Amino acid sequence: MRFLLKLAAALLALVLLALAGLAGALAYTRPCEEVTSSSGAEPAMLAYRYYCYGGPEVLQLERLARPEPGAGEVLVRVRAAGVNPLDWHYLRGTPYFMRLVSGIGAPSEPRLGVDFSGTIEAVGPGVTRFKPGDEVWGGGTGAYSEFLTLPADRNLVLKPPGISHAQAAAVPIAGLTALQALRDKGGLQAGQEVLINGASGGVGTFAVQLARAMGARVTGVCSGRNVDLVRSLGAQRVINYKQEDFTLGNRRYDLIIDMVGNHSLGALRQVLAPAGTLVMVGGQKGDWLGPMVQPLQAAALAPFIDQQLEMLMARFNLEDLQFLADMMATGELNPVIDRQFPLAGLPEAIRYSETGRARGKIIVTIPE
């Protein structure tokens, strides 16, 4: 018995040492060094790259050779790109567990940005879906650049006429997140009560409009300066969180979409209907687990309750992009844009995004 106890203690010590080693490796950030990367070849383009983790100051605007589309690919001249929290999470490499994917010590992928809108410049062999001159929008790695190549059959649809490139670039990640949170994870039905915590942000402004279009009774939670905006998007009821804590009210909601993570699971469950659903889209900042704290708590609690506690990370697919494009075309979905920055102003745009005070979306524009 004494031998078994010693063996168990030794194994536990090994596990703890392994975990400590992994934690140390994930937290390690390679020192930043300026990389000189310029192209004398023509044609060329301007594009942002980052080679170490850190704040917006580690971004480098470089002159690079313009890519050429391969088989099944298109070359897009980017006219506008959307800024998302995803960008600065990758930029900083936090929460640290993300580095298992993004790179330990330094980013394995130096390109940044996903959401974009632009014009097809050229098509590769085998592409029949698009032609040069088509105006398109969608998602692709490295959107903070003048040109971008991506597969013609993925994450790319035609931009609706009458919608600007800035408006289209505002939609992809935020619009897909709102749609999939309400429809897929939330199972929202007409007539249900839905509360959107963070209703004036990028995802929130789309969620309010989509929930109302789906026939729900919408309550939006935001700061006082955004009450009129959220009401104009279709919320029947708007709560100023600085004056009222919605978790202390008597109203119960069939669905809560939480982009903020500023209330405990217990508090949220108090105002969730007995068979209601909570969808966690965002959360608190943190170097280690950050926005994963509540989802981990929810996973431990879920087997013991009837309420559904869900986490969402949006996925790109053509059907949902086209659905959002059709809603924009009919005027049912109107992107809210807070500020626009030139390409050279990307570091400032990301700093503003990190404040969490943007009303709707932040856009980077790239004129011809």
Side-chain angles (χ1 to χ4, degrees):
M1 179 63 71
R2 187 172 299 174
F3 171 76
L4 291 177
L5 288 174
K6 289 182 177 180
L7 179 61
L11 290 174
L12 178 60
L14 288 174
V15 169
L16 292 175
L17 283 173
L19 289 175
L22 177 61
L26 291 177
Y28 170 70
T29 298
R30 191 176 69 191
C32 293
E33 297 179 4
E34 186 170 351
V35 176
T36 302
S37 179
S38 61
S39 173
E42 293 294 340
M45 69 172 187
L46 291 174
Y48 272 100
R49 297 290 186 266
Y50 73 115
Y51 301 98
C52 59
Y53 292 121
E57 68 278 358
V58 306
L59 286 166
Q60 298 186 35
L61 184 59
E62 303 178 1
R63 186 172 179 83
L64 305 171
R66 195 177 80 180
E68 295 296 330
E73 292 184 331
V74 296
L75 174 68
V76 177
R77 178 187 288 271
V78 179
R79 299 294 303 279
V83 177
N84 294 289
L86 180 69
D87 299 324
W88 46 262
H89 279 299
Y90 270 102
L91 185 63
R92 294 186 179 276
T94 57
Y96 290 143
F97 71 85
M98 283 182 54
R99 300 186 181 191
L100 292 170
V101 175
S102 65
I104 295 178
S108 55
E109 170 57 75
R111 296 175 296 173
L112 192 68
V114 176
D115 293 353
F116 73 90
S117 179
T119 305
I120 300 290
E121 187 81 4
V123 300
V127 174
T128 59
R129 187 164 170 248
F130 300 106
K131 62 184 185 302
D134 284 346
E135 295 187 321
V136 295
W137 66 282
T141 302
Y144 298 133
S145 60
E146 291 182 316
F147 290 90
L148 175 70
T149 56
L150 69 161
D153 59 352
R154 292 176 54 197
N155 308 340
L156 190 65
V157 295
L158 290 171
K159 181 176 71 64
I163 299 298
S164 71
H165 285 295
Q167 289 174 308
V171 177
I173 288 180
L176 289 171
T177 299
L179 175 64
Q180 292 166 15
L182 292 165
R183 183 195 64 194
D184 302 339
K185 292 292 187 178
L188 184 62
Q189 301 294 318
Q192 288 188 321
E193 293 275 354
V194 58
L195 179 137
I196 298 166
N197 187 25
S200 61
V203 176
T205 51
F206 288 116
V208 171
Q209 296 177 75
L210 289 167
R212 186 62 187 273
M214 295 167 72
R217 294 189 294 272
V218 183
T219 297
V221 181
C222 61
S223 65
R225 72 187 184 102
N226 296 319
V227 166
D228 290 341
L229 167 65
V230 173
R231 186 173 287 116
S232 73
L233 296 174
Q236 291 99 328
R237 183 167 172 260
V238 184
I239 297 174
N240 177 354
Y241 72 85
K242 293 184 178 181
Q243 296 180 351
E244 179 183 350
D245 183 347
F246 71 87
T247 66
L248 302 179
N250 296 321
R251 189 181 295 250
R252 296 293 178 266
Y253 302 94
D254 301 295
L255 173 62
I256 296 176
I257 308 294
D258 186 16
M259 266 76 70
V260 185
N262 58 345
H263 293 283
S264 69
L265 279 181
L268 292 171
R269 290 186 57 228
Q270 288 294 320
V271 291
L272 191 63
T277 300
L278 165 66
V279 181
M280 293 163 281
V281 174
Q284 296 292 324
K285 295 180 181 180
D287 287 341
W288 287 100
L289 293 177
M292 289 300 298
V293 172
Q294 281 199 341
L296 290 172
Q297 293 173 341
L301 185 62
F304 308 102
I305 61 174
D306 292 329
Q307 294 164 324
Q308 299 296 309
L309 308 178
E310 305 281 354
M311 178 189 175
L312 173 75
M313 291 189 67
R315 58 183 180 83
F316 273 90
N317 64 79
L318 290 178
E319 293 77 12
D320 286 353
L321 284 173
Q322 190 60 56
F323 178 84
L324 295 170
D326 293 342
M327 288 194 70
M328 283 194 288
T330 61
E332 292 180 278
L333 190 67
N334 296 292
V336 175
I337 297 176
D338 184 325
R339 298 184 188 180
Q340 298 187 42
F341 296 81
L343 182 60
L346 176 63
E348 183 183 354
I350 290 181
R351 286 190 188 95
Y352 181 50
S353 174
E354 287 190 282
T355 68
R357 294 182 56 80
R359 294 157 49 99
K361 293 291 296 182
I362 304 164
I363 301 298
V364 170
T365 58
I366 310 172
E368 292 189 43

